[in-house]
Amino acid sequence: MNSIGATFEPDASGQSPKQFTTLPPLKLNDGNSIPMIGYGVGTALFKSADANGKFDEKVVKCAKEAIANGFRHLDGAEVYGNEEELGTAIKQGGVPREELFVTTKFAAKEGMNLTEHFEISLKKLSLDYVDLYLIHVPFFANGAEEPLQKTWAEMEAIQASGKAKSIGVSNYLQEHLEVILKTAKVKPAINQIEFHPYLQHGDLLEFHRKHGIAVSAYGPLTPIVRAKGGPVDAKWAELANKYGVTESEIGLRWCIDQGIVALTTTGNPDRMHRVVSQVPKFKLTPKEVEEIAELGNQKHYRAFWTKIFAPDDRR
């Protein structure tokens, strides 16, 4: 699963993997490992409510092409509305289940029964287990501690059942993590957050590293997809020319070189192949990683959850 025959394996401390033909997986705090590049079936492949449950062959096609082009980490969610399609792609993808790393997420809205929704997700995916199950958002708790702690305890029970090998959260800030760590028997293995040069979350990365919680980044290419014309454009173009890769590949490697799992999505098979084959083969220098970070801090842009956060909230 995107692994190499070497002893080095990055972990939540922020270690950067070396360049090679493939990337080593990142070791989680529970002993499991996660591939450092993942293919997401949200955003462009999101199935809206007005689809009325209609099966979307495009999702199956894209996910199968991702598998065929070497992706082994597939990132889904209940709220994307396409778990059935993802499950079909996994079944038809021609790769043994044990060689895939499958993530899905609990929609986490007030009044939802987590255990029931997890079982529905498994059924839609046609899987006996997932490799990673996440709570999609903390906002259902409306600032209260007890709902966050209760929901996390239910996650721990799911992991204990063996139906989710690892458990974690998504879109949690330090204040949310501190609440669940007060009562957690098992620490979250990972927190999936929007992360890119224009949203670096202040001290949040350091908090994760201190507590051994890994980070995965969604929206890592936001600077060139949604916020073009910003201060990192020229630097990414310069580095893409230096390393003979694309600007997108620079954006993904910037995350990976900080020990962060990078999630991406595309319907283009050629780009899928390039991401899997090219991103492992080069490595940014620490100075280049820092230069991008410094340029990114000159601009603030949040692509998701804009109704939750104030325009100037960089957390």
Side-chain angles (χ1 to χ4, degrees):
M1 234 187 336
N2 278 3
S3 60
I4 60 175
T7 57
F8 176 77
E9 188 173 24
D11 57 25
S13 67
Q15 291 175 295
S16 171
K18 297 175 174 61
Q19 68 266 40
F20 206 74
T21 52
T22 55
L23 287 171
L26 185 140
K27 190 169 186 177
L28 301 172
N29 60 22
D30 58 11
N32 295 320
S33 295
I34 182 171
M36 291 199 74
I37 300 178
Y39 183 79
V41 295
T43 317
L45 300 178
F46 183 95
K47 192 160 70 177
S48 62
D50 57 16
N52 294 319
K54 184 179 178 182
F55 192 85
D56 190 346
E57 290 288 352
K58 179 187 175 185
V59 178
V60 178
K61 179 176 181 288
C62 288
K64 283 174 64 178
E65 285 177 340
I67 294 169
N69 279 286
F71 279 93
R72 294 295 178 262
H73 176 181
L74 304 171
D75 183 83
E78 176 184 5
V79 77
Y80 299 162
N82 54 24
E83 287 175 309
E84 187 179 353
E85 287 88 341
L86 178 57
T88 299
I90 291 168
K91 190 182 298 182
Q92 297 177 1
V95 172
R97 168 66 184 95
E98 61 272 17
E99 294 182 18
L100 297 174
F101 188 101
V102 181
T103 300
T104 195
K105 309 175 192 76
F106 171 53
K109 295 178 182 177
E110 193 173 359
M112 280 185 168
N113 183 299
L114 186 152
T115 305
E116 287 179 5
H117 280 256
F118 175 67
E119 293 295 341
I120 291 169
S121 288
L122 280 185
K123 186 175 181 180
K124 287 182 177 179
L125 289 164
S126 299
L127 297 178
D128 296 325
Y129 71 94
V130 292
D131 297 274
L132 179 62
Y133 193 47
L134 304 178
I135 303 171
H136 208 143
V137 293
F139 313 129
F140 68 94
N142 296 312
E145 292 193 359
E146 192 271 341
L148 291 175
Q149 293 169 343
K150 179 177 180 292
T151 304
W152 185 250
E154 292 169 354
M155 291 286 284
E156 291 174 333
I158 285 173
Q159 184 184 34
S161 76
K163 293 182 178 181
K165 291 190 173 182
S166 296
I167 53 174
V169 295
S170 181
N171 298 298
Y172 275 49
L173 302 178
Q174 180 173 332
E175 63 198 60
H176 305 118
L177 292 167
E178 287 174 337
V179 167
I180 61 174
L181 289 174
K182 287 180 184 178
T183 57
K185 295 176 182 175
V186 176
K187 285 184 181 181
I190 199 165
N191 185 13
Q192 185 182 122
I193 56 175
E194 179 183 349
F195 186 84
H196 48 77
Y198 300 150
L199 186 60
Q200 298 181 52
H201 298 278
D203 296 330
L204 187 58
L205 275 191
E206 188 55 38
F207 179 85
H208 283 85
R209 289 165 181 164
K210 178 181 176 183
H211 291 276
I213 300 170
V215 174
S216 57
Y218 69 83
L221 304 183
T222 292
I224 56 172
V225 175
R226 297 171 182 261
K228 218 164 166 49
V232 305
D233 287 26
K235 176 56 69 172
W236 280 18
E238 173 196 325
L239 292 172
N241 182 62
K242 173 183 175 180
Y243 291 107
V245 297
T246 66
E247 292 166 47
S248 295
E249 288 152 15
I250 294 295
L252 296 174
R253 189 74 210 200
W254 181 74
C255 291
I256 290 166
D257 281 331
Q258 296 177 80
I260 297 170
V261 175
L263 303 173
T264 189
T265 186
T266 177
N268 185 326
D270 289 337
R271 180 170 173 256
M272 294 176 187
H273 176 72
R274 280 198 59 91
V275 166
V276 174
S277 64
Q278 298 303 310
V279 172
K281 291 180 181 177
F282 76 100
K283 179 179 172 63
L284 300 174
T285 67
K287 183 180 178 183
E288 289 165 346
V289 171
E290 183 58 32
E291 286 173 345
I292 292 171
E294 290 174 353
L295 289 167
N297 280 329
Q298 296 175 18
K299 176 174 179 172
H300 173 59
Y301 184 92
R302 186 187 299 272
F304 301 90
W305 305 106
T306 54
K307 292 181 180 179
I308 298 289
F309 295 94
D312 60 348
D313 191 338
R314 290 174 176 252
R315 292 178 300 160

